[in-house]
Amino acid sequence: MNKPDLGFSTRCIHAGIGNDQFGSPHTPLYDTTTFRFPDTEKMDRAIDGRDPGYFYTRYGSNPSIANIEQKLASIEQAEAAIAFSSGMAAISATLVSHGQAGVICIGEIYGGTWELMSSQLKELGRKVAFIAAHETEQLRDYLSQGFGLVYFETPSNPLLHIIDIGDVCEIAHAYGALVAVDSTFATPVNQQTLSLGADIVIHSATKYLGGHSDLTGGVVAGKTDVMLPVKFWRKNLGQIMAPEVAHLLARSLATLELRVKQQNSSALRIALSLQKHPGIERVYYPGLEDHPGHDIARKQMRGFGGMLSIVLKARSRPPASFVDALNLFSLAASLGGIESLVCQPTLTSHRDLSPEMRASKGITDNLVRISIGLEDPEDLEGDLFQALESLAGK
Ligand SMILES: *Cc1c(COP(=O)(O)O)cnc(C)c1O
C-alpha cells in the first residue's frame, strides 16, 4: 500500500504490513537468517522471483526488512527504499555506487561523511570536490568536468544551514548528474526531499526515524533504477538492517509525525525565548526570521525541526559549566530522540578539526548544539534558563 492520497501518519501506520498467517495487525519480527523450501523446484522459483518468497536475510530477503522498506518508501513517496545497518552504511553505499564519476559535496556535512569523502573515498581513487553553498559557478565547473553526483545535507549540523534543494537539482540535472540529500535533521515529516527534486534521500534512522535512542539504522530512497546499484553494494558490503531493528523501527514510525510536530513546536518556542535572553549571543534555528536560510526553509520545509544551536555570551565561567548545570538535557552525542540532548561540537563532531578550521566554519567553544525531546517545553525552558543563570554566576 503506497497510496499518495493518504495522509502521512496513515501511511506511517498502514504501509508495509505483512500478511501474517495468524492475523497480526503489524508485521511480526521474522528473527531468522534463512527460509526453508519444500523442494528444489520451489527454491529455484523463489530465488529468481517467479514465485513470491524470502530467501536469505543479508540480501534483504526477509519480511521484517521488506515491509519496513515498503513503509519507508511510502513515507518518502519513493518508488523504492533500502534499509541499512546505520546512517553511515546508507551514505557509504550511496557514495560507492553512484560516485564513480566524482562527488561534489556542498556545505557542512556530518563528521563521518566528511572522513569518508575527504580520505577514504580518495583512497579508492574517487574524485571528491568540496564547495560552499553559494559557489554556484564552481558547481557548474565540476559538473562540466563530468562529476556525476552532488551531495549535501539540509538542514546541516550544527549550524542548521539551509540549501535550496530545487535550485541545486535544476543545475545538477542540466548536466545529467544525480543529487543525493542527507535529510536526517529535517525528517520526512518536515521535508519531502524527493518531491523537491532530489534523486536520492538518505536518513540516519538512528535519529528521528528511530526516535528513542535505542536503534542504529539507515535508509536510502529514490527511483527503483537508482536504488538497484545501491542495493547491490549493500548486499556484498553486508550492510543490511537487522530484522530486530526493522521491527523496532516500524513501531517508531507509527509515531513519527506526532513526535516531530511536537519537537518542531517546542524547538521554535525555545529558540524564540533563548533569542531574547541576555546570556545568549546568537541562536541558530531555521524557524527564526534572522536565520540566513529562513526564506528557503519556509519554501521547502513544513516545519523547522527539533535541532537548534546557541552561542553563549562570554562569561567568567566556561561554556562547559552551562552544559554541566543542565538537569533535563543529557550530555551526549546523537539527536532526534524523545529525551533532550546537548553537546558542544568542538568536543564532539568537530573535535578533530584544527581550531583555525573550526573558526572558519563558525564552530567556536561557546557553541552548544541542542536536540529538543518530548519533555514539556516549559520544563526544558526552565532548565535552560537556570543553567544560563548559573553561568552568569548568580
Ligand atoms: C548521525 C548522522 C549520520 C550517521 O548516522 P549513523 O546512524 O550514526 O551511522 C549521518 N548524517 C547525519 C546528518 C547524522 O546526524
Side-chain angles (χ1 to χ4, degrees):
M1 194 194 66
N2 190 4
K3 293 195 186 120
D5 52 318
L6 292 173
F8 187 88
S9 281
T10 308
R11 283 179 280 125
C12 281
I13 292 165
H14 288 277
I17 301 285
N19 233 342
D20 168 56
Q21 58 175 323
F22 299 115
S24 163
H26 55 80
T27 308
L29 168 55
Y30 286 83
D31 193 6
T32 178
T33 58
T34 192
F35 298 83
R36 58 191 160 82
F37 294 89
D39 55 51
T40 308
E41 164 71 11
K42 290 221 166 61
M43 183 184 215
D44 195 43
R45 293 180 69 86
I47 293 174
D48 68 16
R50 278 174 293 157
D51 281 352
Y54 297 97
F55 181 62
Y56 188 59
T57 291
R58 178 172 52 79
Y59 298 177
S61 182
N62 173 304
S64 292
I65 298 165
N67 287 317
I68 197 71
E69 291 181 337
Q70 277 175 27
K71 203 184 269 300
L72 290 163
S74 177
I75 289 171
E76 282 291 10
Q77 306 279 24
E79 283 179 16
I82 318 176
F84 283 87
S85 52
S86 69
M88 283 315 301
I91 292 165
S92 56
T94 303
L95 293 175
V96 171
S97 55
H98 286 296
Q100 297 91 333
V103 181
I104 307 166
C105 174
I106 308 179
E108 270 186 346
I109 48 165
Y110 180 73
T113 313
W114 160 256
E115 283 175 7
L116 190 62
M117 287 198 189
S118 61
S119 69
Q120 293 173 292
L121 272 188
K122 288 187 177 165
E123 277 172 33
L124 296 178
R126 297 288 172 85
K127 287 179 294 182
V128 186
F130 295 95
I131 63 172
H134 59 271
E135 293 175 328
T136 321
E137 276 319 301
Q138 271 177 286
L139 173 62
R140 288 182 208 277
D141 191 34
Y142 285 117
L143 287 165
S144 62
Q145 289 173 38
F147 280 63
L149 182 68
V150 179
Y151 184 98
F152 58 93
E153 290 175 18
T154 185
S156 70
N157 175 35
L159 297 180
L160 294 310
H161 291 151
I162 306 289
I163 291 178
D164 192 317
I165 299 173
D167 277 3
V168 173
C169 290
E170 202 179 312
I171 298 172
H173 290 161
Y175 292 82
L178 292 177
V179 175
V181 180
D182 179 338
S183 273
T184 300
F185 271 46
T187 81
V189 177
N190 290 331
Q191 186 169 285
Q192 287 278 291
T193 307
L194 298 174
S195 72
L196 292 163
D199 303 283
I200 300 169
V201 60
I202 302 173
H203 292 278
S204 165
T206 312
K207 313 296 167 51
Y208 288 98
L209 302 186
H212 297 70
S213 308
D214 59 1
L215 68 83
T216 301
V219 54
V220 180
K223 289 211 161 72
T224 307
D225 60 336
V226 177
M227 291 302 104
L228 274 177
V230 185
K231 195 167 176 177
F232 190 38
W233 276 101
R234 179 190 69 177
K235 174 173 177 263
N236 293 327
L237 289 174
Q239 303 164 299
I240 194 70
M241 174 178 279
E244 295 87 338
V245 172
H247 184 251
L248 201 52
L249 180 57
R251 184 173 156 150
S252 292
L253 290 176
T255 56
L256 178 65
E257 189 175 26
L258 273 179
R259 286 186 279 111
V260 170
K261 281 187 169 164
Q262 180 60 45
Q263 283 161 320
N264 287 342
S265 113
S266 296
L268 179 60
R269 172 188 163 146
I270 290 167
L272 285 167
S273 61
L274 286 178
Q275 200 178 28
K276 292 189 218 109
H277 195 283
I280 300 279
E281 190 159 302
R282 177 153 190 196
V283 179
Y284 291 94
Y285 184 67
L288 297 178
E289 274 168 26
D290 72 348
H291 188 83
H294 180 65
D295 290 340
I296 308 170
R298 283 183 70 116
K299 189 179 69 171
Q300 70 185 18
M301 300 179 78
R302 295 172 182 170
F304 301 110
M307 295 300 298
L308 56 111
S309 287
I310 56 175
V311 179
L312 300 167
K313 272 199 186 135
R315 292 285 164 105
S316 49
R317 297 200 192 154
S321 58
F322 165 75
V323 170
D324 293 343
L326 291 163
N327 299 315
L328 294 175
F329 291 80
S330 301
L331 173 59
S334 202
L335 58 112
I338 53 172
E339 58 290 281
S340 294
L341 302 178
V342 70
C343 73
Q344 283 176 269
T346 46
L347 297 180
T348 53
S349 55
H350 292 70
R351 193 183 183 102
D352 296 334
L353 298 186
S354 67
E356 298 75 41
M357 185 92 161
R358 282 202 291 260
S360 76
K361 292 175 183 287
I363 316 284
T364 52
D365 287 339
N366 51 354
L367 179 74
V368 178
R369 190 189 78 176
I370 301 174
S371 170
I372 299 294
L374 292 181
E375 302 90 340
D376 294 292
E378 48 276 24
D379 291 339
L380 295 177
E381 218 166 64
D383 195 30
L384 290 163
F385 283 11
Q386 69 75 25
L388 282 166
E389 263 150 42
S390 80
L391 194 61
K394 275 187 205 159

